[in-house]
Amino acid sequence: MNLLKVENIHKRYGKEEVLKGVSFELKRGETKIVIGPSGTGKSTLLRCINRLSLPDKGQVWLEGEEITHSKSNINQLRAKIGFVFQDFNLFSHLTALKNVSIAPMKVMRMKKEEAAKLATEELERVGLGDKADAYPAQLSGGQQQRVSIARALAMSPKLILFDEPTSALDPELIGEVLEVMINLARDGMTMLVVSHEMGFARSVADEVIFMEHGVIVEQGPPQQLFSNPKHQRTGEFLHKITELYGETS
C-alpha cells in the first residue's frame, strides 16, 4: 500500500489557480523530488498535503486515512508528517535541545527527561550533538536547518516534507544539510522534497516530478528525466537550472 496518495488537488488564491489537479503516490521508503519554476505551486502542494492550506478540491491520504476529510483528526495526522521549512522556523528563545524536545513534550506528552534524551539522540543523528545548548542566533544557517530536521525526526514521522531546505543557505553550507538528507534517504525515511539541487535529486530520488503552471508536466526516474525527458519543456527547464545551480551529476 502507498504511504501517501495525492489525488486531483486544486488550490486557488483569489483569482489565481495555483494547483490545477495534481495527483501522485509515494511508497514507504521512497524519496520524490519536486522541481519546477518559482510560483508553480510546489510549496502550496506541500502545504495542502499536511493541511497547512486546505485544498479547494481533491483528497490526500496518509496510510489509507484521508487527511483532507473534514472530520479527520488533523493534529493527530499532522504529527505523522514532519515539515522542514525553507527558513528554519526555530524558536529563537530556545536552545537547540529545547527546539527539538518541545513537540514530543507537548504533542506526545513525553516527560521532560525522556524528551531531552530523544532530542539529544536526534541532534547527534544530524551531527549537532555538541550544539545542544546553543541558541539559533549562535548557529550557522546550515546548523539551524539541521536542528529543524532533528525537530521533525523527534516526532518519529511516517513522512517528511522538505520545502526548498537549502535555498536560504550560503553555498558552502548546503552540503552539510544535503548530507543529512542523503543519509535519511538511505535509512529508508519517506521524503517528499521541493528542491533545485539536481545532483541531490540524481543521487537519492526514486522519482523526480516536474511541475509548471500548477500541473505535473512529467515525472519519472532521475536518469530518464535528466538524460531523455519526454517533454521539451522539461529539457528546457533542466538546462536552465543546470546553468544556474551547477551540473545534474
Side-chain angles (χ1 to χ4, degrees):
M1 188 175 74
N2 290 303
L3 180 76
L4 179 74
K5 183 178 181 183
V6 176
E7 190 168 285
N8 196 32
I9 291 294
H10 290 252
K11 182 64 182 177
R12 179 187 292 275
Y13 292 110
K15 292 182 179 177
E16 187 182 3
E17 195 176 8
V18 181
L19 297 174
K20 304 172 185 175
V22 175
S23 301
F24 66 92
E25 296 174 354
L26 188 59
K27 292 186 176 71
R28 196 177 304 277
E30 267 191 323
T31 296
K32 289 196 180 185
I33 312 285
V34 184
I35 63 172
S38 295
T40 205
K42 305 183 301 293
S43 295
T44 299
L45 174 63
L46 294 191
R47 294 177 69 86
C48 285
I49 287 171
N50 83 333
R51 254 182 67 180
L52 283 172
S53 296
L54 191 62
D56 298 322
K57 182 182 175 185
Q59 290 85 36
V60 178
W61 288 270
L62 182 71
E63 294 187 311
E65 191 171 352
E66 189 185 343
I67 295 172
T68 42
H69 195 283
S70 59
K71 293 183 178 177
S72 64
N73 185 332
I74 189 57
N75 290 329
Q76 195 175 57
L77 285 166
R78 202 179 276 156
K80 299 179 181 179
I81 305 174
F83 204 126
V84 177
F85 297 87
Q86 183 176 329
D87 51 0
F88 323 138
N89 273 21
L90 298 176
F91 294 109
S92 60
H93 64 291
L94 298 180
T95 63
L97 185 83
K98 288 183 178 174
N99 263 286
V100 177
S101 63
I102 190 168
M105 287 167 59
K106 300 279 188 188
V107 180
M108 298 162 70
R109 305 284 184 231
M110 205 175 271
K111 290 181 179 176
K112 185 178 178 180
E113 297 77 15
E114 191 183 354
K117 181 175 180 289
L118 173 65
T120 301
E121 289 169 359
E122 297 301 356
L123 285 171
E124 286 172 356
R125 188 173 174 184
V126 300
L128 291 174
D130 60 336
K131 298 291 184 182
D133 296 327
Y135 289 87
Q138 298 171 307
L139 300 172
S140 70
Q143 289 170 333
Q144 289 184 62
Q145 193 59 293
R146 284 189 281 155
V147 173
S148 298
I149 295 172
R151 179 178 59 185
L153 290 170
M155 294 296 291
S156 300
K158 305 291 185 181
L159 163 70
I160 303 184
L161 309 174
F162 292 84
D163 189 7
E164 299 198 33
T166 59
S167 64
L169 301 179
D170 294 333
E172 66 268 21
L173 302 176
I174 289 172
E176 65 189 53
V177 173
L178 292 181
E179 184 182 355
V180 170
M181 294 172 67
I182 288 166
N183 289 336
L184 289 177
R186 288 175 180 162
D187 289 344
M189 175 59 70
T190 310
M191 305 195 294
L192 183 64
V193 185
V194 172
S195 181
H196 289 308
E197 299 294 337
M198 297 298 107
F200 169 72
R202 185 184 282 274
S203 64
V204 305
D206 295 288
E207 185 173 68
V208 176
I209 296 172
F210 172 53
M211 282 181 65
E212 188 170 44
H213 304 310
V215 298
I216 292 176
V217 177
E218 184 171 354
Q219 61 193 104
Q223 296 82 356
Q224 177 211 305
L225 233 74
F226 294 138
S227 306
N228 190 26
K230 293 176 183 175
H231 291 264
Q232 182 182 346
R233 183 66 191 108
T234 310
E236 290 169 355
F237 176 79
L238 286 170
H239 178 71
K240 193 173 289 184
I241 210 76
T242 300
E243 285 183 341
L244 278 172
Y245 292 95
E247 294 300 318
T248 58
S249 59

